[in-house]
Amino acid sequence: GIQVEQSPPDLILQEGANSTLRCNFSDSVNNLQWFHQNPWGQLINLFYIPSGTKQNGRLSATTVATERYSLLYISSSQTTDSGVYFCAVRWGGSQGNLIFGKGTKLSVKP
Amino acid sequence: EADIYQTPRYLVIGTGKKITLECSQTMGHDKMYWYQQDPGMELHLIHYSYGVNSTEKGDLSSESTVSRIRTEHFPLTLESARPSHTSQYLCASSPHWGERLPLHFGNGTRLTVT
């Protein structure tokens, strides 16, 4: 099956710093989503981005489908950005189901 | 964002009890999903449904069962809860089973079996 690898697994930032999270996938995908899971376990949909670039406030994402990776950029990080960031893909071999990476755990210190 | 609701938000229950986790969505989505997530780990698909009277097992084997009698409702049942079932359960839906459309998640049920 498809492999979804996220890096780094853990990231500690000082408030105000910028960061880049990476998601590599091993096969062509039909859909890619980035999620933020907050400390209470709620999963928040950040981006639906099978290709191209999108921006939402301090967050932006880029997916280069031909090279099988996606990047999530966080600028001017805040303590409320802490949590786990998941990349998830849908591909032809999964009946359209989302396959999740293991996540990047981000801690933003004040 | 789709409106998808899970109840209860937290549940602590003793071993051997039967439990049902509720999931409802108000957007008329055809496809619904249950994911299981242990603390600090990735999500694993345990059940999904293409529509009414359709249920399929996911990638991770689970002792739970599901039903889909109505489009908007996708409950998950454990006949006899065990401590190994302690986990977070997340429900999701998508507009139809087109593979290019995003999934929308509920807030999850955090289950603890003592």
Side-chain angles (χ1 to χ4, degrees):
Chain A
I2 194 170
Q3 304 299 314
V4 182
E5 296 181 352
Q6 291 187 243
S7 60
D10 296 278
L11 185 59
I12 299 174
L13 295 177
Q14 203 66 36
E15 197 169 27
N18 302 328
S19 63
T20 301
L21 282 57
R22 188 176 181 100
C23 173
N24 292 334
F25 40 95
S26 61
D27 204 343
S28 300
V29 299
N30 297 316
N31 175 8
L32 186 144
Q33 291 180 252
W34 281 98
F35 296 91
H36 174 219
Q37 188 166 43
N38 63 24
W40 297 271
Q42 295 173 319
L43 204 63
I44 299 164
N45 191 1
L46 296 176
F47 292 104
Y48 162 64
I49 186 165
S51 63
T53 298
K54 290 186 178 179
Q55 180 154 8
N56 184 2
R58 296 181 296 103
L59 301 181
S60 64
T62 294
T63 297
V64 184
T66 53
E67 297 187 21
R68 299 181 183 170
Y69 73 89
S70 182
L71 302 174
L72 178 68
Y73 306 96
I74 305 174
S75 64
S76 304
S77 58
Q78 301 175 357
T79 56
T80 53
D81 295 331
S82 296
V84 182
Y85 289 81
F86 287 103
C87 167
V89 303
R90 291 172 106 172
W91 69 299
S94 65
Q95 292 86 43
N97 300 319
L98 270 182
I99 308 299
F100 280 78
K102 293 182 184 296
T104 292
K105 184 176 180 180
L106 174 65
S107 298
V108 181
K109 305 296 186 186
Chain B
E1 289 290 326
D3 292 325
I4 181 164
Y5 307 101
Q6 289 187 243
T7 57
R9 182 74 181 91
Y10 300 95
L11 179 61
V12 181
I13 200 162
T15 297
K17 300 292 186 182
K18 178 180 178 178
I19 59 170
T20 296
L21 308 184
E22 302 289 347
C23 176
S24 295
Q25 48 92 8
T26 60
M27 300 300 288
H29 289 177
D30 290 325
K31 199 163 181 184
M32 296 188 74
Y33 316 75
W34 278 103
Y35 284 82
Q36 183 176 344
Q37 183 187 28
D38 292 332
M41 304 295 287
E42 69 265 43
L43 283 73
H44 292 285
L45 182 69
I46 52 174
H47 299 285
Y48 61 100
S49 167
Y50 291 116
V52 172
N53 293 325
S54 156
T55 60
E56 304 286 344
K57 291 193 178 295
D59 305 319
L60 181 68
S61 176
S62 174
E63 294 172 341
S64 59
T65 58
V66 292
S67 62
R68 190 86 183 276
I69 298 172
R70 292 181 288 143
T71 298
E72 63 271 21
H73 196 211
F74 192 40
L76 181 146
T77 298
L78 279 165
E79 291 292 334
S80 180
R82 295 207 299 267
S84 60
H85 297 140
T86 295
S87 191
Q88 172 157 253
Y89 295 84
L90 289 141
C91 181
S93 70
S94 62
H96 53 76
W97 56 295
E99 295 178 357
R100 297 186 179 274
L101 298 173
L103 266 67
H104 302 271
F105 280 83
N107 287 334
T109 293
R110 199 178 294 271
L111 172 66
T112 301
V113 183
T114 60

